[in-house]
Amino acid sequence: MKILVVGAGIVGLNIAYTLNERGYYVEVIDRADRIGSGISGRSAGVLHLIQHPLNSIKAILARLGIDRYRELSEKLGFEIYNVDLNIVGYNILDKLYLESIAYILRRNGFKPRLENIYGSVNPPLSNKIRYTLKISGYGIVDPINTLYKYVEYLSRNGVEIRLSMEEYDPNNYEYIVVAAGPYTYRLANGIDAYPPNHRYALGVMLNVECQVDAIYTLPPNPISRYTKGGAAIPKGDYTLLGPGFRWVDTPDAEPIEEDINNVYKKFVRLFHEPPEISSTLYGVRPINYP
Ligand SMILES: Cc1cc2nc3c(=O)[nH]c(=O)nc-3n(C[C@H](O)[C@H](O)[C@H](O)COP(=O)(O)OP(=O)(O)OC[C@H]3O[C@@H](n4cnc5c(N)ncnc54)[C@H](O)[C@@H]3O)c2cc1C
């Protein structure tokens, strides 16, 4: 059986990997002339252990997915960097809020530790931060390097990956799997419309010139059900701030200056001294909402 996967992002490559593992003949095709042109190349690379709501199917799948990712990292040879996640608190109200999150996390199988860090925070983190709710076992990957490791492995195992649509003939395949990121619904159905119950969100992240040793995140917004928080994420000798999301109409939307300012304003309060922005990164993702 010949199967074609359209889209060489992390989803398409994973599908190709699984089909190949199960003995099917697979090819992968992408319209871009390079790997990582879609959102998989712009992700923050955090393996989310926690998803909201904590007992949702999405959250359970995220936890299971991490075990699978750890297995794959050994087989394919990409690195997972282990760090702590710290949800920070500035005052006694935040402390109460963090305690309530800790209670829910414990009931869902996590082992969070609430630490009082009064007076012991070193730069670059703000010395206004008084508490952190620490959860160990968070993984971070380099998204582009991970995609390349998939490509190398698949190519070694007989999967052809073509970065051009020129020789594309759908009649050559018995099955076509569409894994085109935010374009999937449109491509699979041949229509120019939103998927039902989905919207597009433009995510902006900033590379800033400073180093942190763990993921630091603001307390999740208890009012917003649909947008996720964001974080300061360690990336070697720089830090990634964000993402900050805004609803947009199409998957081709680009950020405006206000998006960048909003992300900076939101996350800069984590730091002792405002860090310099060295570059920006963005991507549009489909987000489903009930
Ligand atoms: C700012 C931001 C930060 C994120 N951070 C994280 C994170 O820390 N952790 C996490 O788990 N997730 C994160 N995500 C989400 C994650 O990046 C995506 O869920 C994931 O990358 C989606 O992968 P994909 O393969 O579906 O899409 P893509 O990577 O977009 O792949 C789709 C591929 O299809 C190709 N394609 C599109 N249209 C066509 C067509 N017509 N014909 C042929 N090929 C086509 C594209 O060129 C592309 O290569 C983040 C997303 C954003 C926007």
Side-chain angles (χ1 to χ4, degrees):
M1 188 189 299
K2 277 181 93 173
I3 305 172
L4 179 71
V5 176
V6 182
I10 194 70
V11 173
L13 294 173
N14 254 305
I15 291 169
Y17 173 89
T18 306
L19 290 170
N20 175 266
E21 210 182 22
R22 296 186 184 180
Y24 293 101
Y25 177 86
V26 200
E27 290 176 20
V28 182
I29 194 164
D30 199 292
R31 67 176 176 183
D33 60 3
R34 67 182 172 89
I35 290 292
S37 68
I39 33 176
S40 305
R42 303 142 189 237
S43 141
V46 179
L47 308 185
H48 291 288
L49 196 56
I50 298 175
Q51 292 282 3
H52 297 281
L54 284 165
N55 52 5
S56 61
I57 290 178
K58 187 177 168 193
I60 295 162
L61 286 176
R63 272 176 256 163
L64 293 173
I66 285 175
D67 292 341
R68 168 91 167 141
Y69 231 58
R70 291 199 183 276
E71 248 174 73
L72 286 171
S73 84
E74 281 184 22
K75 198 158 174 189
L76 276 61
F78 62 84
E79 193 109 23
I80 298 183
Y81 304 94
N82 292 313
V83 293
D84 289 336
L85 171 84
N86 292 275
I87 307 174
V88 308
Y90 293 86
N91 52 44
I92 198 76
L93 277 178
D94 285 347
K95 187 183 180 205
L96 291 173
Y97 183 54
L98 292 180
E99 274 167 356
S100 69
I101 302 174
Y103 173 74
I104 299 168
L105 286 172
R106 274 188 207 105
R107 285 186 49 188
N108 282 276
F110 293 97
K111 291 184 180 128
R113 304 185 306 280
L114 186 63
E115 291 181 6
N116 183 337
I117 52 172
Y118 183 81
S120 64
V121 179
N122 290 322
L125 276 196
S126 163
N127 53 16
K128 294 195 178 105
I129 294 173
R130 292 287 178 264
Y131 312 97
T132 70
L133 186 66
K134 215 179 258 283
I135 301 143
S136 300
Y138 253 73
I140 301 180
V141 296
D142 173 339
I144 299 272
N145 178 258
T146 304
L147 293 174
Y148 274 104
K149 291 291 178 191
Y150 270 87
V151 170
E152 273 172 36
Y153 181 92
L154 292 172
S155 305
R156 274 202 311 274
N157 285 277
V159 177
E160 190 187 336
I161 299 170
R162 284 197 307 283
L163 299 177
S164 149
M165 301 303 279
E166 265 170 32
E167 291 166 39
Y168 169 59
D169 181 355
N171 298 317
N172 288 342
Y173 306 92
E174 278 148 277
Y175 288 98
I176 296 180
V177 181
V178 183
Y183 301 93
T184 299
Y185 184 79
R186 293 168 173 220
L187 189 60
N189 294 289
I191 52 172
D192 189 13
Y194 284 133
N197 298 332
H198 278 69
R199 292 178 78 185
Y200 298 114
L202 171 79
V204 175
M205 294 186 296
L206 312 176
N207 285 324
V208 292
E209 289 177 2
C210 74
Q211 274 174 279
V212 293
D213 58 1
I215 302 174
Y216 295 95
T217 174
L218 304 173
N221 180 347
I223 296 160
S224 167
R225 288 173 62 195
Y226 308 127
T227 53
K228 289 206 279 177
I233 301 156
K235 290 276 168 184
D237 52 4
Y238 66 92
T239 294
L240 206 52
L241 296 189
F245 281 107
R246 165 170 72 88
W247 296 122
V248 289
D249 290 334
T250 80
D252 302 316
E254 295 195 5
I256 53 175
E257 198 156 329
E258 208 183 329
D259 294 321
I260 293 164
N261 292 340
N262 285 344
V263 177
Y264 192 72
K265 260 195 269 167
K266 186 171 170 193
F267 294 105
V268 77
R269 68 188 176 106
L270 286 166
F271 295 92
H272 187 59
E273 304 233 332
E276 289 273 313
I277 303 175
S278 57
S279 60
T280 60
L281 204 66
Y282 72 94
V284 173
R285 63 192 294 200
I287 293 190
N288 90 327
Y289 61 103

